[in-house]
Amino acid sequence: MVRINRVYTRAGDDGTTALAGGQRVPKESLRIEAYGTVDELNSAIGIAVAAGLEAPLAEPFGVIQQVLFNLGAELATPREAGEEPTGPHVESRHVDQLESWIDDWNDDLEPLTSFVLPGGNPTAAHLHLARTICRRAERLTFALSREEQVGEFVSPYLNRLSDLLFVASRLQNQLSGHGDVLWDSRRF
């Protein structure tokens, strides 16, 4: 169990922060950027949840937020190649769950004939914003993986999550009666 008695420590006033093992790194390091962006993503999803998701979406997003916290913890815990994770981490079952939700929700949607613009229902717009943050987290995680060890399922999870956020935004728009906002390449 985590116990936090004080929010501030003053230890980061020198421009560094501690990773899960205690190692101090610059606050702008790629690892910090990656898990900081995952935290931003989780916050954006929290806004969508608070804004009011339609019933089929609510419970899965509660699970997704928990898994994202595990993913952030995994990114905050450096490990050597071949070393097994010692704390919370993302597994193949988490990626499989995302794919299952994507397939189920996509079955209820009309096939696309155009690109979709962010918008429609406010909650759907929040999901679109979360999707773009997720793509950034994915890019940062891939960049980190070129320099340091990253868990095997971190990048696949983020990749699938961005797809899920797209499908979820479409379903949110449909269920709320707004429908997709489609790109009209010839009109403007």
Side-chain angles (χ1 to χ4, degrees), residues 4-58:
I4 301 171
N5 293 328
R6 266 189 0 199
V7 174
Y8 65 90
T9 64
R10 296 186 178 130
D13 292 352
D14 66 354
T16 66
T17 192
L19 298 175
Q23 173 190 3
R24 297 206 63 86
V25 297
K27 288 188 176 192
E28 72 277 7
S29 76
L30 197 49
R31 184 169 291 279
I32 303 304
E33 284 291 332
Y35 77 71
T37 304
V38 169
D39 186 35
E40 181 183 353
L41 167 61
N42 210 344
S43 296
I45 289 173
I47 291 170
V49 170
L53 292 167
E54 294 293 331
L57 302 172

Side-chain angles (χ1 to χ4, degrees), residues 53-126:
L53 292 167
E54 294 293 331
L57 302 172
E59 186 177 331
F61 274 100
V63 172
I64 289 165
Q65 286 195 281
Q66 295 289 330
V67 174
L68 278 175
F69 216 86
N70 289 351
L71 191 149
E74 183 173 2
L75 286 172
T77 310
R79 61 179 196 230
E80 298 299 319
E83 184 181 356
E84 292 296 316
T86 57
H89 61 283
V90 178
E91 301 173 9
S92 63
R93 66 185 172 93
H94 297 117
V95 177
D96 294 343
Q97 180 64 76
L98 292 178
E99 291 175 354
S100 176
W101 285 325
I102 291 167
D103 292 342
D104 289 347
W105 297 344
N106 206 43
D107 284 346
D108 295 333
L109 296 170
E110 293 292 321
L112 283 174
T113 58
S114 176
F115 288 104
V116 174
L117 299 177
N121 171 276
T123 303
H126 287 305

